[in-house]
Amino acid sequence: QVQLVESGGGLVQPGGSLRLSCAASGSIFRINAMGWYRQAPGKERELVAIITSTGRTNYADSVKGRFTISRDNAKNTVYLQMNSLKPEDTAVYYCNADHTDRRLYPQNYWGQGTQVTVSS
């Protein structure tokens, strides 16, 4: 089993910044892509950003130019730097990881989520 623990959420004013972190721990063999998703009240969970093990990234159109995803493979940690935050960025943000175990079976894990609220 792999556990994902997010941190860094909170309340911020419009135009402000936050940095989310997600650390993976447990029986890690190989972590592949890691990503951030978010879910606002009454809406479906949506992809925010994803990063492969080699550093390739992809972003939702709504966050391009404002958010940056990065990872530290040595620490099994993924980050999301969020700048120029807008009220519509308010949501619970979830970390996700694709993992391959020692038997080469693919697995997918979710964190517990961290609340981000953008409000004046």
Side-chain angles (χ1 to χ4, degrees), residues 1-18:
Q1 288 287 329
V2 174
Q3 295 79 42
L4 302 177
V5 178
E6 300 110 330
S7 61
L11 173 65
V12 64
Q13 292 186 343
S17 298
L18 281 176

Side-chain angles (χ1 to χ4, degrees), residues 18-69:
L18 281 176
R19 189 191 193 209
L20 305 183
S21 299
C22 171
S25 63
S27 301
I28 296 171
F29 181 69
R30 185 173 70 235
I31 296 178
N32 305 306
M34 300 185 79
W36 289 95
Y37 292 72
R38 67 187 181 187
Q39 187 166 19
K43 296 187 176 181
E44 294 186 353
R45 191 173 297 188
E46 62 175 2
L47 174 68
V48 176
I50 193 166
I51 184 167
T52 68
S53 58
T54 58
R56 292 177 60 187
T57 60
N58 193 29
Y59 296 90
D61 288 343
S62 59
V63 307
K64 283 181 180 177
R66 299 188 298 122
F67 291 10
T68 301
I69 189 170

